[in-house]
Amino acid sequence: GCEVEVAELGPGAAIGEMEIIDLQPRSSTVTAVDEVSALALHHGELLAIQREDLATFSVIVLNLARDLSRRLRMANDRLVGRAS
């Protein structure tokens, strides 16, 4: 029930990547502090890219995985820092 800032993202950042990968409802809420332009990619669209252009699909999925990994490491660092 409380708000916790998990990350501050900048230009080019992806959000919602967990939902597009595992099809589960979102796990957090994103709030913009400045004006934002965004593009949406839905799961069905990602699957269409997979069928039509496997190389592009691979780049998208690898970049999503890298973002998730980076954010998990940042969250872990915050938790470890708090435990000290």
Side-chain angles (χ1 to χ4, degrees):
C2 66
E3 292 184 16
V4 175
E5 182 179 303
V6 176
E8 185 173 322
L9 307 175
I15 57 171
E17 62 278 19
M18 288 174 59
E19 185 173 359
I20 198 170
I21 291 172
D22 70 8
L23 302 178
Q24 298 297 311
R26 64 183 175 85
S27 62
S28 61
T29 298
V30 175
T31 303
V33 296
D34 292 317
E35 188 173 320
V36 173
S37 294
L39 299 173
L41 178 65
H42 301 279
H43 183 72
E45 295 166 327
L46 183 63
L47 293 178
I49 293 170
Q50 179 188 25
R51 287 189 300 273
E52 297 167 14
D53 188 346
L54 191 56
T56 298
F57 171 80
S58 298
V59 169
I60 291 169
V61 171
L62 282 171
N63 282 326
L64 292 174
R66 286 184 186 114
D67 273 353
L68 283 169
S69 177
R70 180 180 49 81
R71 289 191 195 152
L72 181 58
R73 288 179 189 278
M74 286 171 42
N76 188 56
D77 288 347
R78 283 184 172 191
L79 289 172
V80 170
R82 287 184 185 158
S84 300

